Amino acid sequence: MALAAFMIFEWINLGFNLADGHETSFYVVHGVLIAVNILLALALGAVGVRGWMKGRA
């Protein structure tokens, strides 16, 4: 779960820190990378929460 939280924080931070002045394709590629990695982090977080809840039961 900590890795998922870190991934979300890091990729959102990268999105806000992209410098201006690049071609549109640069932003499209990085936008897709950010979106995919955030979805992977959410899936990883869901697996972590499920495992944690089963471990407590």
Side-chain angles (χ1 to χ4, degrees), residues 10-31:
E10 190 64 30
W11 282 100
I12 290 175
N13 192 25
L14 173 73
F16 283 119
N17 287 332
L18 290 175
D20 292 335
H22 294 283
E23 295 180 10
T24 302
S25 60
F26 175 85
Y27 295 111
V28 170
V29 168
H30 282 82

Side-chain angles (χ1 to χ4, degrees), residues 29-43:
V29 168
H30 282 82
V32 170
L33 286 172
I34 290 168
V36 167
N37 277 289
I38 288 175
L39 289 174
L40 289 173
L42 291 173

